[in-house]
């Protein structure tokens, strides 16, 4: 959307931040406090530090779910960061940020090639003289670099060049390492040529070098190690090892609501110019997705080998392993062919998983963390004083059992005319020629050959409640803006056109404080609260209105949540009214993460049900939440918290406000009388419709249909229930699709009785969520149930029962059908 604002935006000059600025007394005191953290003293001697850095690995596409060793050895043994971000989704700027701990606007490495980026600029500007490698080497660490370094390496420096800070060096210096074959490694100053044999597969080669490095270090067991293990996988052309080449044959790329987005009229011009993907392009995306997962299998095996070697050499207990990626990746979202560079979640959101001494096992940290924090964290773990040039902050506090309460409130996003790439045959940039030194990113080549400006410069920030982005024209003026609420998971509804001038100016001012920040100024700017959303922009689906009397919306209910299970999400709950099941004055708030579809909290105005004022019932699993009820007439308010992320006991509060009087003037009974049970709820318990394998599922009040493929209603789900509590109802469940909260391949069945509003069962198509087949979860209380799932294409049925009217344990069935459709 074009904005009326066109205030001149000063471009950042080429001058770099001074590197030798001294730490202030306050900074030293702050670092001393961090070093006192118990995590830093959890093991004797300086800890070993390993960074496993993949290339272009996603979060939203769920690739970590296909890495069993990473899940078993890292996720289950450590902390996962659910909001780990990169400020610029591009290889060389991101990798320079990791080495330096600075935003790209301070490294001035803005792209992958000259004149604004690439290894050549890093080398010319002498940035390598002070990196996390030089810092750790100076602290007594033995350091090794394995794999991908910086785009363009080693052009202008010579093929045998090894940057400062590295005791050992194994990085491609020629050939085509992106293909995993036919490349040359600079092995400690010696050029070693690898060809196309299976044993030359690059991920396996650097894995063997890393294992050998750890084993040789056993001769000096007290000398700490720093291992920078940087794979080219799963970067294009997505080449798997031969042993993995046929895996995942039936998988498709995920189809979130943003996939091949039908309506992009609210998007910026570079998105609106994109046609919808055709079937050939979609088929290619599916093939690429499978190959990306296949390529990651060798990385997953490398993680297992590193852990096993650390264990065998007695180092594992004193080793921190960090697993992350340089940037994210999109594959069909918003009509985009596979790539990166954008400010969308697909591109800026990357995994970070950390295990090590003192790190709680299986926790999720939801705070904003970033790749510019890694250098500061590594230095902190090594006992080194605060890096004088760093913009980041140490993550050690978040790795402890009790994370700090004060943290960054927002995070800067920036991108610098990545589309303005010189043609690949430019004689002034020999590193851009394929086959000479490290080849360029294939996406850069395609853009250069097309001579197309892909994405304009942008600045913006991500806050807990929303994301804001400003796109600049060639004159440095704000040309377009985007604003997405955090509840808009797939960034479909750009609200920029609804910004009033005052709020728009506040957003721009806040952005500028981040854009201009350096060092400690960045930490100060990020700690300042971002402009709060005006009430007009707060989405209506996160506020539940409950009537005190017919036609009135007197009570406003809002739920804020955070989770420790699954993807680890936080935000405002989505309100789902229960009117389809006969509760006219109440509702529920929902959240989900891909592998943890779960109801957070139910709220019901019991005046309408049984005249006993208010009933609140929590069904949260590993959920921390606060439910706030406001009487908009009197301003009185009550909050109901479950702060510790453990399953909450049901809250039934009958003390908030008196029920409205009935027509006879009696207080405390329903003004509307008892609610009748809908007649279509009352078939014989346990019955199900006859199977007809030739007729697709037709959704209805008591039938939920789940897609096996886009546009297909292949799987029919029906629920029959009976209760032993309250009125003792029985009947067919009422099907409620969960599309409003982003679950497009699933739903829920509900029933209620007057004194026990309760969710019966959730049914989620795991194929659509995380490709782990089917997931069913029952949250029934005193419920007997039969869940019948029918594949209408084959007639195959599976039945799940809880017949004895006792609370049912969750059912998570990943073998209901042999494969995902």
């Amino acid at each position: 959307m074009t904005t009326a604002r066109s205030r001149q935006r000063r471009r950042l000059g080429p001058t770099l931040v001074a590197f030798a600025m001294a730490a202030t007394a306050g900074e030293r005191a702050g670092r001393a406090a961090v070093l006192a953290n118990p995590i830093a003293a959890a093991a004797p001697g300086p800890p070993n530090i390993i960074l496993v850095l993949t290339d272009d690995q996603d979060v939203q596409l769920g690739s970590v779910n296909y890495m069993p060793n990473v899940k078993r050895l890292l996720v289950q043994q450590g902390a996962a960061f659910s909001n780990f971000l990169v400020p610029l989704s591009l290889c060389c700027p991101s990798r320079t940020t990791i080495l330096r701990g600075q935003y790209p606007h301070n490294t001035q490495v803005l792209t992958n090639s000259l004149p604004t980026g690439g290894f050549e600029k890093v080398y010319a500007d002498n940035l390598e003289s002070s990196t996390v490698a030089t810092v750790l080497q100076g602290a007594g660490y033995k350091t090794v670099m394995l794999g991908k370094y910086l785009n363009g390496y080693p052009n202008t420096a010579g093929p045998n060049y090894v940057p400062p800070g590295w005791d050992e060096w194994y990085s491609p210096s020629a050939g085509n390492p992106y293909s995993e074959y036919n490349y040359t490694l600079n092995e400690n100053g010696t050029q070693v040529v690898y060809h196309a044999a299976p044993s030359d597969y690059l991920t396996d080669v650097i894995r063997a070098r890393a294992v050998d490095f750890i084993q040789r270090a056993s001769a000096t067991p007290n000398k700490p190690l720093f291992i920078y293990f940087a794979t080219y996988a799963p970067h294009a052309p997505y080449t798997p090892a031969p042993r993995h080449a046929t895996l995942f044959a039936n998988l498709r790329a995920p189809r979130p609501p943003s996939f091949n987005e039908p309506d992009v009229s609210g998007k910026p011009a570079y998105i609106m110019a994109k046609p919808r993907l055709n079937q050939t392009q979609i088929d290619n995306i599916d093939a690429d997705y499978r190959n990306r997962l296949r390529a990651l299998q060798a990385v997953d095996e490398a993680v297992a080998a590193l852990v096993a070697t650390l264990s065998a050499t007695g180092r594992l207990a004193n080793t921190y392993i960090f697993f992350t990626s340089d940037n994210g990746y999109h594959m069909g979202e918003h009509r985009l062919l596979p790539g990166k560079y954008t400010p969308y979640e697909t591109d800026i959101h990357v995994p970070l998983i950390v295990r090590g001494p003192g790190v709680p096992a299986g926790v999720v940290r939801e705070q904003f963390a970033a790749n510019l924090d890694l250098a500061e964290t590594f230095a902190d773990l090594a006992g080194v004083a605060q890096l004088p040039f760093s913009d980041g902050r140490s993550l050690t506090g978040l790795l402890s059992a009790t994370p700090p309460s004060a943290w960054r409130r927002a995070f800067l996003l920036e991108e610098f005319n990545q589309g303005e790439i010189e043609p690949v045959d430019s004689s002034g940039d020999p590193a851009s020629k394929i086959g000479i030194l490290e080849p360029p990113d294939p996406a850069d080549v395609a853009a250069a050959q097309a001579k197309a400006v892909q994405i304009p410069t942008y600045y913006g920030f991500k806050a807990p409640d929303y994301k804001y982005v400003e796109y600049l024209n060639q004159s440095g003026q704000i040309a377009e803006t985007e604003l997405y609420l955090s509840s808009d998971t797939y960034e479909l509804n750009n609200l920029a056109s609804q910004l009033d001038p005052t709020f728009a100016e506040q957003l721009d001012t806040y952005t500028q404080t981040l854009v201009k920040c350096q060092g400690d100024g960045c930490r100060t700017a990020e700690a300042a609260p971002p402009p709060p959303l005006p009430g007009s922009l707060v989405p209506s689906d996160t506020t539940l209105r409950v009537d005190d009397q017919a036609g009135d919306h007197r009570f406003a209910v809002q739920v804020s949540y955070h989770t420790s299970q699954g993807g680890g999400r936080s935000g405002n709950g989505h309100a789902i009214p229960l009117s389809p099941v006969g509760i006219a004055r109440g509702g529920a708030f929902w959240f989900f993460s891909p592998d943890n579809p779960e109801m957070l909290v139910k709220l019901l105005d019991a005046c309408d049900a049984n005249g006993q004022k208010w009933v609140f019932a929590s069904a949260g699993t590993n959920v921390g939440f606060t439910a706030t009820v406001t009487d908009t007439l009197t301003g009185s308010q009550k909050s109901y918290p479950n702060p510790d992320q453990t399953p909450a006991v049901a809250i039934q509060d009958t003390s908030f406000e008196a029920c409205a009087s009935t027509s006879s003037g009696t207080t405390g009974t329903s003004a509307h009388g008892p609610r009748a049970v809908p007649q279509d709820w009352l078939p014989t318990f346990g019955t199900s419709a006859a199977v007809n394998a030739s007729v697709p599922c037709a959704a209805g009040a008591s039938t939920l249909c789940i897609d096996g493929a886009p546009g297909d209603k292949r799987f029919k789900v029906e629920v029959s229930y009976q209760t032993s509590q309250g009125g003792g109802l029985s009947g067919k469940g009422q099907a409620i699709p969960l599309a409003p909260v982003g679950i497009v391949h699933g739903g829920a069945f509900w029933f209620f009785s007057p004194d026990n509003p309760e969710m019966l069962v959730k049914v989620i198509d795991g194929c659509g969520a995380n490709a782990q087949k089917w997931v069913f979860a029952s949250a029934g209380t005193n419920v007997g149930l039969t869940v019948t799932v029918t594949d209408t294409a084959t007639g195959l049925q599976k039945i799940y029962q809880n017949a004895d009217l006792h609370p049912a344990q969750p059912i998570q069935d990943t073998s209901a059908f042999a494969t995902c459709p």
Side-chain angles (χ1 to χ4, degrees):
M1 301 295 290
T2 301
T3 176
R5 292 177 293 149
S6 60
R7 181 160 56 82
Q8 182 71 26
R9 172 61 46 76
R10 184 178 68 186
R11 288 184 178 274
L12 293 169
T15 303
L16 295 173
V17 178
F19 303 133
M21 55 186 288
T24 66
E27 290 168 341
R28 289 193 296 270
R31 170 46 61 91
V34 172
L35 291 177
N37 190 296
I39 189 172
N48 308 296
I49 301 170
I50 298 180
L51 173 63
V52 178
L53 181 66
T54 60
D55 197 343
D56 290 0
Q57 187 167 5
D58 56 90
V59 165
Q60 286 200 355
L61 293 172
S63 57
V64 171
N65 289 330
Y66 295 87
M67 303 181 76
N69 292 315
V70 169
K71 293 177 68 175
R72 175 175 59 88
L73 299 173
L74 302 185
V75 176
Q76 295 176 13
Q77 300 299 320
F81 286 71
S82 61
N83 282 298
F84 190 72
L85 307 168
V86 298
L88 201 168
S89 179
L90 186 61
C91 295
C92 195
S94 184
R95 289 165 184 266
T96 307
T97 289
I98 290 171
L99 291 170
R100 295 275 303 176
Q102 292 175 296
Y103 277 113
H105 71 258
N106 287 329
T107 67
Q108 285 292 293
V109 178
L110 310 179
T111 62
N112 279 348
S113 58
L114 289 173
T116 55
F119 165 76
E120 300 94 327
K121 182 168 177 58
V122 174
Y123 181 68
D125 291 342
N126 199 31
L127 296 186
E128 295 169 302
S129 65
S130 189
T131 66
V132 66
T134 64
V135 168
L136 293 181
Q137 187 184 60
Y141 276 71
K142 186 173 183 180
T143 63
V144 62
M145 161 71 199
L146 305 112
K148 180 173 177 176
Y149 184 47
L150 298 172
N151 300 66
Y153 168 84
N155 187 50
T156 70
N160 294 331
Y161 172 71
V162 175
W166 301 102
D167 293 305
E168 296 191 24
W169 182 265
Y170 306 92
S171 184
S173 56
N176 190 14
Y178 285 97
S179 73
E180 302 283 349
Y181 296 106
N182 299 310
Y183 56 89
T184 299
L185 272 188
N186 175 5
E187 299 191 4
N188 300 317
T190 300
Q191 301 296 299
V192 180
V193 178
Y194 292 82
H195 299 288
S199 60
D200 294 325
Y201 188 74
L202 179 55
T203 301
D204 292 344
V205 169
I206 61 173
R207 162 188 163 177
R209 298 292 180 274
V211 167
D212 177 64
F213 178 82
I214 297 171
Q215 291 173 336
R216 284 187 287 109
S218 61
T220 53
N222 295 325
K223 190 174 184 64
L225 308 179
F226 174 54
I227 300 174
Y228 190 112
F229 186 87
T231 71
Y232 283 78
H235 196 291
Y238 327 112
T239 306
R243 62 187 180 277
H244 303 132
T246 60
L247 297 178
F248 314 120
N250 296 317
L251 281 186
R252 302 182 311 162
R255 304 292 201 265
S258 56
F259 186 85
N260 206 12
E261 192 172 346
D263 182 4
V264 294
S265 58
K267 291 288 191 296
Y270 78 94
I271 297 291
M272 287 195 291
K274 301 287 184 184
R276 295 201 72 187
L277 303 173
N278 60 43
Q279 191 57 52
T280 297
Q281 291 170 322
I282 292 173
D283 291 343
N284 289 338
I285 287 173
D286 288 337
D288 290 345
Y289 179 73
R290 290 189 288 271
N291 279 328
R292 282 169 57 84
L293 297 182
R294 291 163 177 160
L296 283 170
Q297 299 313 296
V299 181
D300 190 57
E301 292 170 354
V303 168
L306 290 172
V307 172
T309 307
L310 290 166
S311 178
T313 56
R315 288 185 179 266
L316 183 60
N318 194 27
T319 298
Y320 290 94
I321 302 176
F322 291 72
F323 180 93
T324 188
S325 182
D326 57 353
N327 49 254
Y329 208 61
H330 53 252
M331 300 193 76
E333 295 87 350
H334 314 298
R335 304 186 180 182
L336 292 166
L337 291 172
K340 49 214 174 191
Y341 312 155
T342 79
Y344 299 123
E345 288 299 291
T346 51
D347 296 10
I348 67 168
H349 193 174
V350 298
L352 176 65
I353 306 155
V354 185
R355 71 166 285 173
V359 180
V363 302
V364 175
R365 295 290 183 247
E366 299 165 355
Q367 292 87 345
F368 288 152
N371 60 352
L372 55 105
D373 297 332
L374 293 176
E376 190 70 21
T377 303
F378 297 164
D380 193 0
L381 292 173
V384 178
Q386 185 172 25
L387 304 179
F389 48 81
S390 170
D391 301 328
R393 58 189 70 202
S394 174
L395 300 177
T396 54
L398 297 182
L399 296 176
S400 67
T402 306
S405 57
W407 197 252
R408 61 164 59 94
R409 308 280 293 274
F411 183 72
L412 171 66
L413 309 174
E414 53 188 7
E415 191 270 336
F416 303 88
N417 282 331
Q418 170 56 32
E420 296 180 352
I421 305 170
E422 292 297 319
V424 295
D425 60 353
S426 169
S427 60
D429 186 9
S432 66
K433 294 180 179 179
I434 292 180
I436 299 178
L437 307 179
E438 180 184 296
D441 187 311
D444 292 351
V445 176
Q449 291 172 333
K451 298 183 180 180
V453 176
Q454 299 261 311
I455 302 171
T457 291
Y458 63 74
Y459 300 112
F461 63 90
K462 181 176 171 64
D465 294 331
Y466 62 91
K467 178 191 292 179
Y468 172 70
V469 179
E470 299 175 345
Y471 294 91
L472 308 185
N473 60 24
Q474 294 299 311
S475 299
Q477 298 173 324
I478 300 173
E480 298 178 290
T481 56
E482 290 185 284
L483 188 143
Y484 297 100
L485 301 180
S486 297
S487 57
D488 183 2
T489 305
Y490 300 105
E491 297 172 305
L492 302 174
N493 185 22
N494 180 13
L495 300 180
S497 62
Q498 301 179 29
L499 302 184
D500 65 71
T502 298
F503 185 54
E505 187 66 23
Q506 292 172 348
L507 292 171
D508 181 60
T509 299
Y510 190 85
T511 301
Q512 287 307 294
T513 63
L514 295 171
V515 167
K516 299 173 182 177
C517 78
Q518 296 179 358
D520 211 35
C522 292
R523 291 179 282 273
T524 299
E526 293 169 341
L533 283 172
S536 60
L537 293 182
V538 175
S540 60
D541 67 347
T542 64
T543 301
L544 183 68
R545 304 290 179 179
V546 183
D547 291 353
D548 180 57
Q549 53 188 333
D552 178 33
H553 292 293
R554 174 174 170 179
F555 296 96
V557 186
Q558 291 184 303
V559 174
S560 299
Y561 65 84
H562 55 280
T563 78
S564 64
Q565 186 174 352
R569 301 181 68 95
S570 62
N572 292 322
H574 291 259
I576 305 294
L578 301 187
S579 54
V581 294
I583 301 179
R585 301 197 302 173
F589 286 90
W590 285 80
F591 82 92
F592 80 99
S593 60
D595 56 352
N596 181 30
E598 182 59 65
M599 190 187 72
L600 172 65
V601 65
K602 302 183 295 294
L603 303 116
L604 176 68
D605 176 1
C607 292
D608 193 41
N610 64 0
Q612 291 184 355
K613 304 173 188 175
W614 294 88
V615 175
F616 304 89
S618 165
T621 302
N622 296 318
V623 176
F625 71 86
T626 299
T628 303
V629 182
T630 304
D631 185 335
T632 58
L633 181 64
T634 67
S636 59
Q637 196 172 71
K638 288 197 76 171
S639 293
Y640 305 86
N642 176 50
D644 59 1
Q645 298 192 23
T646 59
V649 297
I651 302 167
Q652 297 197 10
D653 187 340
T654 59
S655 63
F656 183 56
E657 292 286 348
C659 292
S661 299
T662 64
S663 57
S664 63
T666 303
T667 300
T669 59
S670 173
H672 307 285
R675 180 177 23 75
V677 176
Q679 290 302 305
D680 63 353
W681 290 18
L682 302 174
T684 304
F685 176 72
T687 63
S688 60
V691 176
N692 186 334
S694 64
V695 180
C697 178
S702 60
T703 303
L704 181 69
C705 296
I706 298 179
D707 293 351
D712 177 34
K713 302 293 185 183
R714 175 172 171 179
F715 295 95
K716 172 193 286 186
V717 187
E718 293 181 297
V719 174
S720 300
Y721 66 85
Q722 57 183 347
T723 76
S724 63
Q725 187 173 353
L729 293 176
S730 65
K732 289 284 189 181
Q734 293 280 297
I736 298 183
L738 300 186
V741 296
I743 300 180
V744 294
H745 296 281
F749 286 91
W750 288 79
F751 82 94
F752 77 97
S753 61
D755 59 351
N756 183 31
E758 183 58 66
M759 187 186 71
L760 173 63
V761 66
K762 301 185 298 290
V763 183
I764 305 297
D765 175 4
C767 294
N770 62 4
Q772 291 186 354
K773 305 176 185 174
W774 295 87
V775 176
F776 306 89
S778 166
T781 301
N782 297 317
V783 176
L785 64 92
T786 299
V787 182
T788 303
V789 183
T790 304
D791 183 340
T792 60
T794 65
L796 178 66
Q797 273 191 342
K798 289 206 73 172
I799 296 176
Y800 307 86
Q801 289 187 308
N802 175 49
D804 59 3
L805 303 186
H806 287 91
Q809 294 298 313
I811 302 167
Q812 297 196 7
D813 187 343
T814 59
S815 61
F817 298 96
T819 61
C820 289

